[in-house]
Amino acid sequence: MTERRLQVYETNQVRVTYDPAVCLHSGVCLRTLPVVFDIGYSQWIHPERANPSSVMAAVSKCPSGALRATLVTSVMHRVPREGEK
């Protein structure tokens, strides 16, 4: 039985999700950015291997929408130490 749950792969800059239930297996991702998308491994998406804009561009070509990518941003502001203003 093949695992069909949403998969999440992320770095500190980009998050890629893959929904195998939606995938058409067209191979566009593999041909567009093979350094990131490599089915030779069980963890087949490696967003850390390319810059975030390249990953986002490759994901945007996914014809089924099985791949999605978002930039990771920090919403945590620096908390001042006691006594700091």
Side-chain angles (χ1 to χ4, degrees):
M1 179 186 250
T2 305
E3 188 65 41
R4 299 192 54 87
R5 290 185 297 177
L6 185 70
Q7 299 169 21
V8 179
Y9 305 88
E10 69 182 313
T11 69
N12 60 352
Q13 296 179 314
V14 66
R15 176 180 302 115
V16 178
T17 61
Y18 169 66
D19 187 344
V22 175
C23 186
L24 298 174
H25 304 287
S26 66
V28 171
C29 57
L30 304 175
R31 291 188 302 276
T32 302
L33 197 56
V35 69
V36 170
F37 302 97
D38 186 349
I39 59 172
Y41 298 94
S42 59
Q43 180 179 330
W44 70 283
I45 301 174
H46 295 272
E48 71 280 2
R49 294 181 180 170
N51 65 55
S53 59
S54 295
V55 173
M56 298 284 288
V59 167
S60 73
K61 295 179 180 183
C62 178
S64 68
L67 289 170
R68 305 275 176 139
T70 55
L71 292 176
V72 176
T73 58
S74 175
V75 294
M76 185 133 187
H77 299 284
R78 183 178 174 279
V79 178
R81 293 177 181 248
E82 191 174 316
E84 284 184 344
K85 292 188 179 186

